Amino acid sequence: KAGVTQTPRYLIKTRGQQVTLSCSPISGHRSVSWYQQTPGQGLQFLFEYFSETQRNKGNFPGRFSGRQFSNSRSEMNVSTLELGDSALYLCASSLARQSMNTEAFFGQGTRLTVV
Amino acid sequence: AQKITQTQPGMFVQEKEAVTLDCTYDTSDQSYGLFWYKQPSSGEMIFLIYQGSYDEQNATEGRYSLNFQKARKSANLVISASQLGDSAMYFCAMREGTDQAGTALIFGKGTTLSVSS
């Protein structure tokens, strides 16, 4: 069974540009969550999507947005990129909506560098 | 307030030795789940082990066990018989159980484990 696939793996963008990252969850999984990982702030939750609806959102500015398609694939978009957006962006999929004991399976991440 | 605390930035161990990675957590919820993930240099987060707040026995998965002390709010990961492939970053994480809108994983800062031969 294929794991969580994130594309692209690496990305270099210029300040002010926008970027779209893609995540294909494990087949049959309906929940997708996104996390940002930086050396300074560690791993921080961005948002969760389930059945094409955003169910939960972390404390990030509106420049960060996402969506989920009917096949459960998800995209996240960052507009007006800032240097501080340089990070590893991780996507996690789960079979159902995330609850106390839901195991999340992560992809390898997209490493975004903003110059 | 920080909810997951991992006090060991780095740990060094010899092959075949056991190692304990510390994790303390803070929550007022009675229902919560505790997770450990491994992150090799490739970046992928690999699930290792889970402990629910109502589980009376410590979780065990192969060479991994979780030393759960609820009163102390600690959930230490024990790796027995370390292998070179265990060298990675290890994260402790928690999900609280009362948010009906869905709960995010809250991660600690991580511990880098280095295993030498």
Side-chain angles (χ1 to χ4, degrees):
Chain A
K1 191 166 171 180
V4 179
T5 304
Q6 290 188 246
T7 56
R9 290 288 314 278
Y10 302 92
L11 208 47
I12 301 175
K13 289 286 189 178
T14 305
R15 261 185 310 177
Q17 286 186 315
Q18 74 164 14
V19 67
T20 299
L21 313 182
S22 178
C23 172
S24 293
I26 292 170
S27 177
H29 284 198
R30 295 170 63 193
S31 169
V32 173
S33 297
W34 289 88
Y35 292 81
Q36 181 197 64
Q37 185 177 20
T38 59
Q41 298 298 317
L43 280 146
Q44 294 183 285
F45 171 71
L46 281 155
F47 24 67
E48 177 201 0
Y49 286 87
F50 181 81
S51 292
E52 302 177 63
T53 302
Q54 187 180 91
R55 302 291 180 161
N56 199 3
K57 190 176 191 305
N59 188 24
F60 277 82
R63 299 185 298 106
F64 291 81
S65 63
R67 58 178 175 168
Q68 187 180 35
F69 302 96
S70 58
N71 61 358
S72 294
R73 190 177 72 85
S74 176
E75 288 181 348
M76 68 162 278
N77 184 276
V78 188
S79 62
T80 320
L81 283 165
E82 299 176 1
L83 295 179
D85 298 333
S86 295
L88 179 67
Y89 290 88
L90 290 160
C91 164
S93 83
S94 304
L95 193 59
R97 282 204 53 200
Q98 299 187 77
S99 62
M100 183 182 104
N101 60 354
T102 304
E103 181 183 337
F105 295 86
F106 284 81
Q108 288 191 295
T110 293
R111 189 165 296 280
L112 171 66
T113 302
V114 182
V115 297
Chain B
Q2 191 171 1
K3 293 205 169 188
I4 299 285
T5 303
Q6 294 181 254
T7 57
Q8 307 153 313
M11 289 285 284
F12 297 87
V13 68
Q14 294 261 335
E15 247 185 319
K16 299 179 185 173
E17 288 182 349
V19 61
T20 298
L21 306 184
D22 295 341
C23 172
T24 57
Y25 59 91
D26 182 28
T27 180
S28 55
D29 282 0
Q30 295 301 310
S31 303
Y32 52 88
L34 296 157
F35 301 76
W36 276 92
Y37 282 87
K38 171 185 177 182
Q39 187 178 41
S41 55
S42 61
E44 182 179 0
M45 299 283 281
I46 301 166
F47 167 76
L48 296 177
I49 197 165
Y50 164 81
Q51 178 88 39
S53 57
Y54 296 115
D55 295 339
E56 294 191 352
Q57 291 197 326
N58 287 340
T60 302
E61 290 283 352
R63 294 186 299 112
Y64 305 106
S65 61
L66 201 152
N67 184 359
F68 181 47
Q69 298 188 40
K70 195 169 181 176
R72 293 187 176 186
K73 293 190 175 177
S74 79
N76 298 339
L77 176 71
V78 181
I79 305 175
S80 63
S82 298
Q83 301 172 356
L84 294 177
D86 293 335
S87 294
M89 189 85 148
Y90 288 79
F91 290 94
C92 179
M94 175 175 69
R95 278 193 209 280
E96 292 166 321
T98 57
D99 182 358
Q100 295 301 312
T103 58
L105 281 167
I106 303 162
F107 286 89
K109 295 290 189 184
T111 295
T112 301
L113 176 65
S114 300
V115 182
S116 59
S117 57

